[in-house]
Amino acid sequence: MNKFFLCIFTLLLLKAELHAQFNIIPKPLEVNSTSSGSFNLTDKTPIVFKQQSLQKSASFLNGYLSRFYGFSLKQSKAAAIKGIYLSLSNKTSSNPGNYALQVKNEGVFITAETEEGIFYGIQTFIQLLDPTAKGKTMEIPFVQIRDEPRFQYRGMHLDVARHFSPVSFVKKYIDYLALHKMNYFHWHLTDDQGWRIEIKKYPKLTELGSMRKGTITGFLPGNGNTNIPHGGFYTQEEIKEVVKYATDRYITVIPEIEMPGHASAALTAYSYLGCTGGPYKVQETWGVFDDVFCAGNEQTFTFFQDVIDEVVALFPARYIHIGGDECPKTSWKKCPKCQQRMKDHQLKDEHELQSYFVQRMEKYINKKGKSIIGWDEILEGGLAPNATVMSWRGEAGGIEAAKQHHYAIMTPGNYMYFDYAPSIKRDSLTMPGTTTLQKVYSYEPIPADLPLESGKYILGAQANVWTEYMNNPSKIEYMIFPRMSALSEVVWSSKENRNWDDFQKRLKQQFERYQLWQVNYHHIPIDVPAETR
């Protein structure tokens, strides 16, 4: 008999321990288990809200429940005996993403000062659901949570130029961001290997520039070619569809239109935009190419102004990313028009010519009510007056931008490039670097070398997904999971709240969520040193 009671007592302790452990990623600011009780969620539980603006959050929750648990909830404006209550408070603060969540006998209560905050509360509530549950009843443990994001910019990038992703996967990718409380999607739309956005004034950009004749096989420089055409582009209607989908999830879409380098696809379509006139081709290999947009040709700027006019109409975001990276100066040094431009504007070298190009385009974009973001090469030759710098070649670019009182987004390659292998035990073709889960988790977006007073210029961080070696959605998922979960905690949770050992414990249930979502992810053993994985 004593053994029987001991077993019962042990089971109760285990259940209490499970209730006490809330496996939420990113980790909230405060989590307090109020008691060992729980609220029963069933398909009869209503979602109650009075403000119509909260419809998007309620719909997202219902979509999640319907897709992964097989039922949805009635939405109501009338109070119920027990329900999920969403409400906006009258308070205001400097952090619009904050929210409070409480689960008690009467129901689930999510309050926030903004719609965005309610949406983040919904993401936390989703993580209170058992990912292995079957049926239409779930126990939600009693808890009180107070939470807010640390950084205002929490981003993921996706390159669709090297390998095209269909709209269906782009939407799925946006859902992944939403489930991790990310709020920026950086969409890399143009490059040497393909132009992916319809520009109606320049139809050849997609007629010719969106399709390459083949793709190299093996690691650069390659050991062969598929000789299979690869292409695709998004119509303007599809762009609008994706932007609305993201907006409904409180995610801002930032388009990237590369200039003045990474121009091969555009030059193939309109050869007069280059320094030599061609012949050009949509590149079938990777790397950096000497053929760039001619900085001495007025038609180049007319072209980009026309392109920007159409891009601005499609993307409500404050930012337009203009690239600005990896622009060889070989063509410019030989081009009479570029050299004449330098003389006319008293530019001492081709780096200043690039700065002239970027600053001229910035002025036009600013007139459209937008601001530019560029990779850290835009610092060379002089930074455009209102530019935000995305620091990828380490942290130096972000530090320099912040010192100049420019905003910066940190995305250093050795921490934030998810095209690098996730493990030293390389099991597929990737870029040569290695960025383990633990390394991603260890990243601190505010550099130690940055003066304290300049820290306010660091907006946040972003991971980049370059797709040279990701030719299908399954490979992309494998490369981003679970590293996206680590990044989400880096950019959302307070620095003091981050703990690698604790994160690993919570990651065990995150793996179960991946399985629920049916995503392909990199299986890593928990509690094993990263250097041996």
Side-chain angles (χ1 to χ4, degrees):
M1 184 64 70
N2 288 339
K3 289 183 178 180
F4 173 78
F5 283 117
L6 181 61
C7 289
I8 294 295
F9 181 69
T10 302
L11 287 172
L12 289 172
L13 283 178
L14 179 60
K15 185 176 181 180
E17 182 180 345
L18 289 173
H19 275 295
Q21 176 64 41
F22 295 94
N23 299 301
I24 300 168
I25 295 175
K27 189 173 184 178
L29 192 64
E30 293 180 8
V31 179
N32 296 303
S33 181
T34 54
S35 72
S36 60
S38 61
F39 170 76
N40 285 333
L41 175 71
T42 74
D43 60 343
K44 305 299 182 185
T45 304
I47 306 176
V48 182
F49 56 92
K50 292 182 179 180
Q51 297 96 337
Q52 189 60 33
S53 60
L54 302 184
Q55 174 74 50
K56 289 187 289 188
S57 292
S59 295
F60 185 90
L61 174 58
N62 258 341
Y64 188 92
L65 290 171
S66 176
R67 180 178 177 185
F68 298 115
Y69 292 98
F71 68 93
S72 59
L73 306 178
K74 179 183 177 182
Q75 299 179 24
S76 172
K77 291 186 178 181
I81 298 174
K82 292 186 177 183
I84 299 172
Y85 291 85
L86 313 179
S87 61
L88 294 172
S89 70
N90 295 323
K91 298 178 182 178
T92 58
S93 74
S94 59
N95 196 331
N98 63 13
Y99 69 90
L101 183 154
Q102 184 175 13
V103 181
K104 54 185 180 179
N105 189 57
E106 292 79 10
V108 179
F109 298 82
I110 301 174
T111 59
E113 295 157 15
T114 64
E115 301 169 32
E116 188 177 358
I118 294 291
F119 187 76
Y120 296 143
I122 290 291
Q123 307 317 311
T124 295
F125 173 71
I126 282 173
Q127 294 199 39
L128 296 177
L129 306 177
D130 181 356
T132 65
K134 306 297 181 183
K136 299 180 179 180
T137 301
M138 281 180 280
E139 290 187 3
I140 313 297
F142 290 164
V143 68
Q144 284 185 327
I145 295 172
R146 187 175 70 84
D147 200 10
E148 63 182 24
R150 180 185 176 196
F151 290 103
Q152 61 176 282
Y153 189 105
R154 307 178 301 280
M156 286 288 295
H157 154 287
L158 180 63
D159 163 32
V160 295
R162 276 46 176 261
H163 282 104
F164 181 73
S165 287
V167 168
S168 58
F169 180 71
V170 174
K171 287 181 175 180
K172 187 179 290 187
Y173 194 85
I174 288 169
D175 278 335
Y176 296 151
L177 270 67
L179 289 163
H180 287 82
K181 300 187 178 81
M182 302 275 196
N183 64 343
Y184 280 92
F185 171 45
H186 175 178
W187 205 1
H188 184 83
L189 291 165
T190 73
D191 217 301
D192 294 293
Q193 295 80 15
W195 183 285
R196 306 296 181 210
I197 176 173
E198 178 189 27
I199 302 297
K200 293 185 177 180
K201 192 165 185 176
Y202 297 94
K204 290 182 181 179
L205 287 171
T206 46
E207 289 173 6
L208 300 177
S210 70
M211 184 67 67
R212 61 177 182 263
K213 294 181 179 180
T215 305
I216 65 163
T217 57
F219 186 72
L220 190 70
N223 54 25
N225 192 298
T226 65
N227 295 313
I228 298 171
H230 179 87
F233 68 92
Y234 307 102
T235 67
Q236 293 198 1
E237 288 306 308
E238 287 174 325
I239 295 282
K240 292 175 184 176
E241 181 184 338
V242 168
V243 168
K244 183 183 185 304
Y245 192 85
T247 301
D248 286 347
R249 287 148 180 78
Y250 301 91
I251 291 171
T252 299
V253 183
I254 298 177
E256 181 174 357
I257 309 297
E258 279 274 10
M259 61 182 86
H262 290 288
S264 297
L267 298 183
T268 302
Y270 296 98
S271 59
Y272 67 85
L273 297 173
C275 291
T276 67
Y280 303 112
K281 72 171 185 176
V282 183
Q283 298 294 341
E284 299 169 29
T285 183
W286 323 125
V288 178
F289 303 91
D290 286 342
D291 289 319
V292 300
F293 290 103
C294 180
N297 186 352
E298 278 301 302
Q299 290 177 299
T300 298
F301 294 96
T302 300
F303 166 80
F304 272 117
Q305 288 171 6
D306 292 338
V307 169
I308 292 301
D309 286 348
E310 294 193 33
V311 169
V312 164
L314 295 171
F315 295 92
R318 170 189 171 188
Y319 296 110
I320 293 177
H321 202 301
I322 53 88
D325 63 312
E326 297 178 329
C327 180
K329 311 302 187 289
T330 306
S331 295
W332 289 355
K333 289 178 180 179
K334 299 176 183 178
C335 175
K337 290 182 179 179
C338 289
Q339 292 301 308
Q340 186 61 49
R341 178 83 74 189
M342 291 170 62
K343 290 178 182 177
D344 292 345
H345 292 270
Q346 299 179 333
L347 306 175
K348 68 179 182 181
D349 57 24
E350 285 74 21
H351 290 295
E352 289 196 359
L353 180 60
Q354 177 166 335
S355 181
Y356 164 86
F357 192 115
V358 170
Q359 291 194 37
R360 180 166 171 177
M361 286 309 304
E362 185 198 39
K363 289 177 183 176
Y364 188 79
I365 291 169
N366 288 166
K367 287 179 181 178
K368 296 290 180 177
K370 307 288 186 177
S371 299
I372 69 167
I373 298 178
W375 302 108
D376 55 52
E377 285 94 332
I378 67 172
L379 283 156
E380 299 167 3
L383 187 56
N386 303 307
T388 295
V389 171
M390 199 165 267
S391 188
W392 73 277
R393 297 177 300 176
E395 295 183 322
I399 292 171
E400 180 58 32
K403 286 181 177 179
Q404 293 185 33
H405 296 173
H406 281 255
Y407 289 109
I409 298 159
M410 306 306 291
T411 178
N414 55 339
Y415 289 93
M416 295 285 108
Y417 269 44
F418 287 3
D419 51 332
Y420 290 5
S423 169
I424 59 172
K425 296 178 180 178
R426 200 175 301 269
D427 55 10
S428 64
L429 190 64
T430 70
M431 282 295 184
T434 300
T435 302
T436 64
L437 178 70
Q438 187 171 8
K439 190 168 186 179
V440 175
Y441 192 82
S442 72
Y443 185 60
E444 169 49 42
I446 298 181
D449 296 339
L450 188 66
L452 186 62
E453 65 275 10
S454 299
K456 63 184 178 182
Y457 292 102
I458 305 299
L459 295 178
Q462 170 181 292
N464 296 330
V465 181
W466 301 104
T467 60
E468 286 92 338
Y469 303 112
M470 303 182 210
N471 61 6
N472 61 77
S474 180
K475 179 65 178 291
I476 292 174
E477 290 176 347
Y478 183 82
M479 297 298 283
I480 66 174
F481 292 121
R483 292 185 289 186
M484 180 192 283
S485 296
L487 172 64
S488 75
E489 197 146 305
V490 168
V491 292
W492 177 279
S493 303
S494 66
K495 185 177 180 180
E496 298 74 21
N497 239 6
R498 284 166 49 197
N499 179 282
W500 169 246
D501 292 335
D502 178 60
F503 175 75
Q504 287 191 102
K505 293 175 183 176
R506 287 177 283 120
L507 195 62
K508 293 177 182 178
Q509 192 171 71
Q510 188 75 348
F511 288 167
E512 293 177 344
R513 294 189 192 105
Y514 297 159
Q515 292 161 17
L516 178 67
W517 302 343
Q518 295 184 325
V519 302
N520 186 28
Y521 67 98
H522 178 230
H523 297 257
I524 62 169
I526 301 299
D527 302 324
V528 174
E531 63 271 12
T532 65
R533 291 175 183 156

